[in-house]
């Protein structure tokens, strides 16, 4: 479990009630931005250690309210000359908690826990209707990588990666 100020990040099961509620909210965000939910195939077992982890961030200054999610799962994508990759999934911050740097904290937590589990690089897919996500990833050291996964051929998709072995840059 990670803690920063009043933010507590806890690993939970994908079926945890807080995770389920926040995943439903992010799906509604995708509907609002893209016209449909994300239909990437996900198996809850993908987020069970050691092959993945799902996290919920809680705002302890606000009674422990769940305010953000983020997860990673092992990936088959080869980037930066390594096949030891993990993919970021379900990054989300509730609307009322945006603009406080929570996404950056969750992303750093995902990077650290994935590296601890042996990942040498992280990859992720986002979309052009999420410019704030793209700005976060680019300002956190992620660079464009070739398309992969469910939306690899979508003109709305943008894929990024970060070499965790060089995270001190």
């Amino acid at each position: 479990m990670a803690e920063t100020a009043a933010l507590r990040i806890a690993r939970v099961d994908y079926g945890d009630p807080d995770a389920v509620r926040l995943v439903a909210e992010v799906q509604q965000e995708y509907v609002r931005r893209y016209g449909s939910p994300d239909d990437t195939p996900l198996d809850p077992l993908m987020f069970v250690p050691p092959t993945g982890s799902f996290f919920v961030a809680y705002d302890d200054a606000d009674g422990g309210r769940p305010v953000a999610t983020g997860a990673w799962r092992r990936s088959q994508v080869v980037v930066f000359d390594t096949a030891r990759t993990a993919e970021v999934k379900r990054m989300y911050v509730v609307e009322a908690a945006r603009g406080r740097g929570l996404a950056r904290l969750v992303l750093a937590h995902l990077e650290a826990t994935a590296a601890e589990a042996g990942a040498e690089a992280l990859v992720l897919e986002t979309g052009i209707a999420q410019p704030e996500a793209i700005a976060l990833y680019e300002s956190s050291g992620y660079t464009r990588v070739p398309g992969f996964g469910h939306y690899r051929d979508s003109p709305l998709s943008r894929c990024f990666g970060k070499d965790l072995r060089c995270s001190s840059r």
Side-chain angles (χ1 to χ4, degrees):
M1 183 177 323
E3 296 183 34
T4 304
L7 187 73
R8 179 174 42 92
I9 302 174
R11 196 199 75 72
V12 300
D13 291 334
Y14 192 72
D16 177 90
D18 292 332
V20 169
R21 185 175 58 73
L22 293 176
V23 167
E25 284 185 28
V26 74
Q27 290 289 15
Q28 287 306 305
E29 184 83 13
Y30 297 145
V31 169
R32 187 176 66 75
R33 293 183 187 225
Y34 298 100
S36 63
D38 177 3
D39 60 356
T40 301
L42 293 182
D43 180 340
L45 295 177
M46 295 173 174
F47 302 109
V48 175
T51 60
S53 287
F54 195 97
F55 299 93
V56 172
Y58 296 90
D59 184 348
D60 286 338
D62 188 15
R65 184 172 60 100
V67 292
T69 61
W72 60 265
R73 64 178 179 175
R74 290 280 185 223
S75 170
Q76 302 298 314
V77 177
V78 176
V79 293
F80 312 118
D81 296 321
T82 184
R84 296 185 66 173
T85 60
E87 181 183 6
V88 172
K89 298 300 295 176
R90 297 299 184 248
M91 282 284 300
Y92 176 68
V93 176
V94 299
E95 191 169 350
R98 292 180 187 163
R100 296 174 30 200
L102 302 183
R104 190 170 303 280
L105 293 172
V106 170
L107 183 60
H109 185 76
L110 296 179
E111 291 172 359
T113 57
E116 287 169 9
E120 295 179 341
L122 279 180
V123 296
L124 61 90
E125 184 274 332
T126 190
I128 61 172
Q130 295 168 267
E132 66 283 353
I134 292 171
L136 168 69
Y137 300 134
E138 290 179 338
S139 70
S140 298
Y142 287 76
T143 58
R144 289 281 302 269
V145 297
F148 65 86
H150 191 71
Y151 294 104
R152 82 179 134 266
D153 297 322
S154 171
L156 301 177
S157 175
R158 297 294 180 268
C159 294
F160 292 87
K162 181 175 183 177
D163 189 336
L164 299 176
R165 300 167 296 185
C166 303
S167 62
S168 60
R169 284 193 252 176

